[in-house]
Amino acid sequence: MVYRVTLIPGDGIGPEVTEAAKRVLEATGIAFQWDLAYAGAEVMDKEGTPLPDYVLESIRKNRVAFKGPITTPIGSGFRSVNVALRKKLDLYACIRPCKTYPGVPSLYKDVDIVIVRENTEDLYAGIEFEKGTPEAAALARLVAETMGSTIRTDSGLSLKMISEMGSRRIVKFAFEYARAHRRKKVTATHKANIMKFSDGLFLAIAREVAKEYPDVEFEDRLVDNMCMQLVKRPQQFDVVVAPNLYGDIISDLCAGLVGGLGLAPGANISDDIAVFEPTHGSAPKYTGQNKANPMAMMLSGAMMLRHLGEAKAADRLEKAIADVIVEGRTVTYDMKSDITGVPAAGTSQVADAVIEKLRER
Ligand code: NAD
């Protein structure tokens, strides 16, 4: 069996970490046919769009994609390709496991949390009104007429939208995930005390859905308290379900708890398509330096193998990565503790070391 997968190298450190992960995936013995597809700033310069239609068509056809990070200009310029992909393909569920592997220099040794982030709604839906535009003024007038509240004329506006349908399907996804992976608890996080009609709706639906899963414990936390508790006692959390923005922020927080972004994999899932990518971005300052940690991308590859039904190969790959970590000799700069005295390895050397371990198994 040959799996046909859309491969998007991305930019910044993307091409280096995807190449390293592609090599280890192939070393598991599973056969892939990679359909290369390009998106991002360079594509924008050449083709006038950062996300050409053929990329979406390739993913729709193959139903599985393996994607490196893509840079989004900050404050201005084109909108995020990552957000556009998730919206256009309705990849509504983002799964981000954060687990401590023995040997990783990190704050805790026993964290095993899975973040389930809603991926299509909330403040990330991209409905924004630029300061000083007639559209911003029209919205401000509507708010004044209907609510009696004033919006300052020098404001930029972003709409936060949380729907009943969107909340129901992501919370159901989280509970189904918990059941399928024998996890005990789902924690919903929100700010429903302040945003009663958006986060409040999310919480009300979460409570409703939780009743359908009496075998899985349910609790909720205000997101500010959640952040504090995650830092102080992360072991109390199991599966965490969150609207888009909080899910994004908490994912990086949890990555920090288990050793950093270089170890945090992810998957974006719709009812029939899955796009696997690490939590981290394109870390532009490390571009082309053979410096970035490819393990988050490799672990995203292990998630992809499981999705394809290749659980044994996924286990072998994860174990090979864990072996390289525990040895501590061939790890990148971000995973070095000072005690070993061995210099940090490069991205491609980590791939060589993981392939070596796969051969030994
Ligand atoms: P980032 O995740 O790229 O990097 C933050 C820091 O984390 C880096 O400076 C580096 O110190 C560390 N880091 C990240 N990945 C690493 C790795 N594999 N190995 C070692 N260290 C690593 O976040 P940022 O700097 O906020 O964003 C850079 C760009 O990436 C932005 O344009 C942003 O929009 C984009 N981004 C893309 C995605 C995606 O493609 N899904 C996700 C997040 C950010």
Side-chain angles (χ1 to χ4, degrees), residues 123-201:
L123 283 158
Y124 281 49
I127 303 191
E128 299 197 292
F129 299 84
E130 193 176 356
K131 182 198 83 162
T133 57
E135 292 80 10
L139 185 56
R141 270 198 309 278
L142 178 72
V143 170
E145 281 161 24
T146 53
M147 310 282 299
S149 323
T150 36
I151 294 177
R152 288 180 55 99
T153 52
D154 58 353
S155 304
L157 309 167
S158 302
L159 284 193
K160 173 171 168 119
M161 288 153 304
I162 295 206
S163 72
E164 185 172 332
M165 183 282 287
S167 303
R168 193 176 300 283
R169 72 177 175 175
I170 195 65
V171 178
K172 265 184 171 290
F173 187 97
F175 274 99
E176 290 294 332
Y177 183 95
R179 255 190 196 164
H181 294 82
R182 297 176 195 284
R183 287 180 172 265
K184 294 192 166 47
K185 186 167 77 172
V186 171
T187 306
T189 187
H190 58 84
K191 193 76 185 165
N193 54 337
I194 307 296
M195 284 161 280
K196 296 184 191 298
F197 300 144
S198 49
D199 286 21
L201 180 61

Side-chain angles (χ1 to χ4, degrees), residues 262-290:
L263 281 162
N268 302 291
I269 309 275
S270 78
D271 290 335
D272 54 0
I273 295 174
V275 177
F276 296 85
E277 63 172 344
T279 296
H280 66 72
S282 56
K285 67 182 177 192
Y286 296 136
T287 306
Q289 294 178 31
N290 191 35

Side-chain angles (χ1 to χ4, degrees), residues 13 17 67-74 80 82 86 96 248 252 261-263 277-286 291-296 332-334:
I13 59 168
V17 293
K67 175 188 164 295
I70 297 176
T71 307
T72 308
I74 295 176
S80 166
N82 309 305
R86 293 166 197 160
R96 289 177 161 176
D248 193 11
D252 273 39
L261 284 165
L263 281 162
E277 63 172 344
T279 296
H280 66 72
S282 56
K285 67 182 177 192
Y286 296 136
K291 190 167 176 183
N293 188 348
M295 286 180 172
T332 44
Y333 80 94
D334 53 315

Side-chain angles (χ1 to χ4, degrees), residues 20-227:
K22 175 173 163 277
R23 282 175 55 214
V24 301
L25 280 167
E26 287 169 350
T28 62
I30 303 295
F32 293 96
Q33 183 184 330
W34 305 103
D35 283 354
L36 269 168
Y38 296 94
E42 274 184 36
V43 178
M44 175 79 185
D45 294 341
K46 281 189 212 138
E47 305 198 23
T49 167
L51 180 58
D53 284 344
Y54 89 90
V55 178
L56 292 163
E57 279 156 26
S58 170
I59 302 174
R60 283 195 186 103
K61 190 177 75 195
N62 294 328
R63 291 167 183 241
V64 181
F66 194 46
K67 175 188 164 295
I70 297 176
T71 307
T72 308
I74 295 176
S76 58
F78 63 81
R79 286 194 169 275
S80 166
V81 171
N82 309 305
V83 173
L85 264 177
R86 293 166 197 160
K87 282 208 73 177
K88 282 184 192 269
L89 299 172
D90 199 26
L91 302 166
Y92 66 88
C94 179
I95 311 172
R96 289 177 161 176
C98 291
K99 172 165 122 179
T100 28
Y101 288 91
V104 175
S106 61
L107 294 170
Y108 298 98
K109 300 289 163 225
D110 49 359
V111 175
D112 185 6
I113 299 172
V114 177
I115 315 283
V116 175
R117 163 190 175 190
E118 203 291 323
N119 236 356
T120 59
E121 303 200 311
D122 199 354
L123 283 158
Y124 281 49
I127 303 191
E128 299 197 292
F129 299 84
E130 193 176 356
K131 182 198 83 162
T133 57
E135 292 80 10
L139 185 56
R141 270 198 309 278
L142 178 72
V143 170
E145 281 161 24
T146 53
M147 310 282 299
S149 323
T150 36
I151 294 177
R152 288 180 55 99
T153 52
D154 58 353
S155 304
L157 309 167
S158 302
L159 284 193
K160 173 171 168 119
M161 288 153 304
I162 295 206
S163 72
E164 185 172 332
M165 183 282 287
S167 303
R168 193 176 300 283
R169 72 177 175 175
I170 195 65
V171 178
K172 265 184 171 290
F173 187 97
F175 274 99
E176 290 294 332
Y177 183 95
R179 255 190 196 164
H181 294 82
R182 297 176 195 284
R183 287 180 172 265
K184 294 192 166 47
K185 186 167 77 172
V186 171
T187 306
T189 187
H190 58 84
K191 193 76 185 165
N193 54 337
I194 307 296
M195 284 161 280
K196 296 184 191 298
F197 300 144
S198 49
D199 286 21
L201 180 61
F202 176 80
L203 176 59
I205 299 296
R207 285 180 172 153
E208 228 178 272
V209 172
K211 291 195 184 116
E212 297 168 31
Y213 297 84
D215 50 319
V216 182
E217 192 188 331
F218 174 73
E219 63 177 14
D220 71 276
R221 291 271 201 289
L222 292 170
V223 67
D224 37 0
N225 178 29
M226 181 80 192
C227 290

